[in-house]
Amino acid sequence: MNKYLVRFLLFSSNTRNFCKHSSSSGFTLIEILVVVVAVGILAGLALPHWQTFVVTRHLNDAQAKIYWAMRQAQSQAVKEKITSQVSLREKNGVVQWTVHAADANQFIPDGVKNNDQLWRNLHSNIQIDQELNNKGKNETTFPKQSSQQEWRILFNYQGCPVYKVQDDCTKTSLRTLGQITFSSPKSGKVKRCVYVSTMLGAMRMGKENSKANTNGKYCY
């Protein structure tokens, strides 16, 4: 037999054996489709949980930043013997905050309000909760500028929360025991809050609960 014909027959036989082996050891189209569908279903189930996890992280971050801002304002007030203020506002859909000396004549001093470099941003997913809860109560109760999306928390030179800049600790009332509550359109009922719990200026961080407290709040 011609040596070239022998080589051709051997090559053809080896090729058929290779293809047969590859076909039997690989994935069929149906198997690949099943895997793709399964991965899609798992991703669909996991995505909402992942989004909630991410937004909760952002809420925790906002809560921690405002808590320490309030601590900073309180410490600054005592140290410098002034009334110190934490201001918050919503600007272009973003919650911003800053710490500064209070002004008896302005809710937020113009020099602070107009200086964007003094303000720090929270994550764009975060908003200040302004909805009435199931008890008909507001979860955010710190003083708000009626005509603006602005809030403030004041601490006097003794570190007490006060309602007006000139107030001393003897004028501290229950209305100074407010709270700021954060939520997100993507988080459902998940909320985080920071509140002044005593008239001497103790502060705490809280989160959403299924039952309201004695003040009709669900975030505590």
Side-chain angles (χ1 to χ4, degrees):
M1 184 182 290
N2 188 296
K3 63 179 181 179
Y4 294 107
L5 179 59
V6 172
R7 289 179 180 177
F8 174 76
L9 293 173
L10 289 173
F11 175 77
S12 300
S13 177
N14 290 336
T15 301
R16 286 194 298 271
N17 290 336
F18 174 78
C19 292
K20 183 178 180 180
H21 176 74
S22 299
S23 177
S24 62
S25 61
F27 292 104
T28 66
L29 179 60
I30 293 177
E31 289 172 331
I32 293 174
L33 289 175
V34 169
V35 171
V36 171
V37 171
V39 170
I41 292 173
L42 291 175
L45 293 173
L47 183 60
H49 295 285
W50 173 251
Q51 288 178 334
T52 299
F53 170 77
V54 171
V55 174
T56 300
R57 289 284 300 271
H58 294 157
L59 286 169
N60 289 340
D61 179 67
Q63 179 188 49
K65 286 178 177 177
I66 300 307
Y67 175 82
W68 287 111
M70 290 166 62
R71 286 292 189 195
Q72 178 187 345
Q74 187 180 46
S75 175
Q76 179 178 305
V78 174
K79 181 179 180 180
E80 299 180 14
K81 300 301 179 185
I82 61 172
T83 299
S84 188
Q85 176 173 330
V86 180
S87 294
L88 297 103
R89 69 182 183 185
E90 287 189 355
K91 185 175 182 180
N92 299 324
V94 177
V95 177
Q96 301 178 322
W97 62 274
T98 185
V99 177
H100 57 89
D103 186 328
N105 298 314
Q106 295 180 301
F107 191 83
I108 298 177
D110 288 339
V112 174
K113 185 184 299 185
N114 299 325
N115 189 347
D116 289 338
Q117 294 183 350
L118 297 177
W119 295 84
R120 301 181 183 181
N121 294 343
L122 299 181
H123 195 275
S124 58
N125 283 338
I126 303 304
Q127 63 186 17
I128 294 176
D129 190 274
Q130 300 181 61
E131 301 293 329
L132 295 177
N133 62 26
N134 293 335
K135 298 289 185 180
K137 302 288 187 178
N138 285 305
E139 293 286 342
T140 294
T141 57
F142 280 131
K144 179 179 182 292
Q145 180 77 297
S146 58
S147 60
Q148 303 290 331
Q149 292 290 87
E150 299 172 348
W151 295 259
R152 74 177 185 184
I153 307 101
L154 301 175
F155 295 94
N156 70 6
Y157 69 99
Q158 294 174 303
C160 296
V162 291
Y163 194 77
K164 296 181 180 179
V165 175
Q166 305 95 331
D167 290 347
D168 57 29
C169 290
T170 60
K171 294 183 179 180
T172 297
S173 63
L174 291 177
R175 64 180 177 174
T176 63
L177 305 184
Q179 68 184 61
I180 192 84
T181 302
F182 300 105
S183 60
S184 170
K186 300 181 180 180
S187 68
K189 296 183 179 180
V190 180
K191 296 181 181 180
R192 294 293 183 268
C193 53
V194 183
Y195 58 97
V196 179
S197 58
T198 72
M199 288 184 285
L200 294 178
M203 287 168 265
R204 295 185 180 183
M205 295 187 287
K207 63 179 183 178
E208 76 287 347
N209 289 272
S210 58
K211 295 182 179 180
N213 61 13
T214 55
N215 295 320
K217 305 293 191 301
Y218 286 90
C219 192
Y220 57 88

